[in-house]
Amino acid sequence: MSAESASTSAANSIAMLGRLRDRMLPMLQAVVDEYKTRSDPGYPVLLDNVEFGGYFGIMLDPAYGLYFITDGEEVFAQINMVGWRNDARSSANKERFAGTPFAGVRPVPETLSNQELRNLLSELLAHWNLQPLLLYRTDS
């Protein structure tokens, strides 16, 4: 691949990521507003560095996040979460360790619908909401 075609490909992937950002940012902002009282102080964090870094996303805490990134050619969604061993389906032949981080990376085509983008976000929120022993004390 020539240097000119590589720079064109990188510019195209940044442009695609920018269009995806325009669609996702209202959804991410709604989650930030909703989860301010459900997460530790300083979180959730909205990440937005499409032009210079090639990524944007949301972090609910250091172990839970949804990021949209590019490698210069394609756009990917990366979901970071902690894998808890709290289901009855895990067994000795499918070993799972409690509290281990997990990162799933999926390609994101430009034709992905808004519903499919919301599904990615809801997958992150489902894992966040099902954390075992997540207790918050409040005064009334």
Side-chain angles (χ1 to χ4, degrees):
M1 179 183 286
S2 69
E4 184 178 318
S5 65
S7 66
T8 302
S9 176
N12 289 341
S13 66
I14 293 292
M16 182 180 158
L17 193 65
R19 290 188 295 272
L20 184 62
R21 176 202 172 274
D22 294 340
R23 292 171 51 201
M24 280 295 295
L25 204 57
M27 296 179 219
L28 297 177
Q29 188 59 52
V31 170
V32 167
D33 295 341
E34 180 70 26
Y35 278 74
K36 277 183 184 175
T37 59
R38 300 181 192 185
S39 55
D40 291 331
Y43 289 97
V45 175
L46 195 59
L47 306 167
D48 187 9
N49 192 1
V50 173
E51 292 80 17
F52 300 111
Y55 66 90
F56 73 94
I58 187 170
M59 264 185 5
L60 297 175
D61 78 7
Y64 288 86
L66 173 63
Y67 312 99
F68 293 90
I69 55 178
T70 183
D71 64 353
E73 295 179 13
E74 295 183 60
V75 174
F76 300 95
Q78 178 176 337
I79 298 178
N80 291 355
M81 63 191 119
V82 173
W84 300 104
R85 187 175 179 165
N86 57 359
D87 65 352
R89 296 176 297 225
S90 63
S91 60
N93 62 346
K94 295 178 185 172
E95 194 170 34
R96 285 181 49 191
F97 298 100
T100 56
F102 169 78
V105 179
R106 303 169 192 169
V108 176
E110 194 165 10
T111 58
L112 209 62
S113 71
N114 286 345
Q115 181 63 46
E116 291 169 310
L117 293 172
R118 283 192 293 272
N119 287 347
L120 285 171
L121 188 54
S122 66
E123 185 177 337
L124 170 70
L125 297 178
H127 285 284
W128 169 264
N129 292 328
L130 291 177
Q131 293 180 70
L133 302 176
L134 182 64
L135 301 174
Y136 291 106
R137 295 184 183 194
T138 59
D139 293 333
S140 57

